[in-house]
Amino acid sequence: MTQDIMQQEEHHRQLGDASDVECAAGTILQKIGCILSYGGSRRDIIINYLLLAFNLYFCIKMVRLQISASSSSLSSSSMAVQPSTFLKSTTAAFAFVIIFQVSLCLIVQCSGISIIWCAMAGWMMSQRRQISESIQMDVTQDGVGTQDGMDTQNSTDCNSDNNDTETTRRALSKIPLAITTNFAAIVYYAVVAAPITTVAHICALVLGAVLSKMALRRSLALVEEEDYEQDVGITHTDDLTSPLIVAQQRIPTPTNVQQLLSSNE
């Protein structure tokens, strides 16, 4: 009987059925090693770490795209963020997902890294949608500006914005390939693994989208705060300068007094 159980466990390990691999024995480091290595499942190691590298590559491209767009001629657009804050927020989000994956598996005694790459996929989908909507909004505003008429300098700036927009669109056109690959992997595991695995994958997609929204909101909020402070500073300067100028104009000077006496004479 014991030999049959051992043979079944070895069979599952060879097939790489991650849902049947539990990492309950050993020290914390041994458990973490078991979690990250799928308990020795070669199939799941290959599939999931390829997906992790694949998603990491596209996530880095998306981060660079967002930062470069904020630093270029599109920096005044609705997609502009504070680069350093966005980078820190995104890095913290990914670190949180890794810690969440390991902690969850330590608690429920599972193995795998699929929550990490699923969260990356959700982050990419949300990020792509945000950038696409911002580009569409900027194109609409540029169209209105063109109809109203522009001088030569504004026309040059508009052409530069169009070039940046076209570059951004070309970069975004490759993201559906990554998203399709991720969904194919999710469907695959929905077939070969337990239903709870699919539930975890879907929840991870939502988690990644939420983390993307949070990182963008924080970065955009800081940009808006800086713009507001600049506007307030300009307004305060105008409010203080205008009455001062008016008061100086009303104060009689010796020259004005002499002119007034001469006119009366």
Side-chain angles (χ1 to χ4, degrees), residues 103-121:
S103 301
L104 178 65
C105 285
L106 287 173
I107 294 172
V108 303
Q109 299 180 359
C110 65
S111 65
I113 59 168
S114 58
I115 288 179
I116 300 175
W117 59 259
C118 279
M120 288 181 173

Side-chain angles (χ1 to χ4, degrees), residues 126-196:
S126 177
Q127 194 74 16
R128 180 178 182 274
R129 179 179 179 182
Q130 170 69 22
I131 295 178
S132 298
E133 291 178 352
S134 299
I135 290 176
Q136 184 62 35
M137 185 181 301
D138 295 334
V139 169
T140 302
Q141 292 176 352
D142 291 341
V144 173
T146 303
Q147 292 176 359
D148 293 340
M150 299 181 297
D151 56 18
T152 304
Q153 181 63 36
N154 289 337
S155 178
T156 303
D157 294 340
C158 183
N159 291 333
S160 177
D161 290 345
N162 290 336
N163 292 333
D164 292 334
T165 300
E166 190 61 30
T167 302
T168 303
R169 281 178 170 169
R170 284 198 300 268
L172 290 177
S173 64
K174 301 177 182 178
I175 301 302
L177 172 63
I179 296 174
T180 302
T181 303
N182 285 297
F183 272 100
I186 292 174
V187 171
Y188 168 76
Y189 276 108
V191 174
V192 303
I196 189 64

Side-chain angles (χ1 to χ4, degrees), residues 66 80-90 213-225:
Q66 181 74 68
V81 298
Q82 191 177 66
S84 60
T85 303
F86 178 74
L87 182 59
K88 291 177 182 178
S89 300
T90 303
K213 292 288 186 181
M214 291 175 63
L216 283 172
R217 183 173 299 179
R218 175 174 173 78
S219 302
L220 291 172
L222 290 176
V223 171
E224 292 175 357
E225 182 178 352

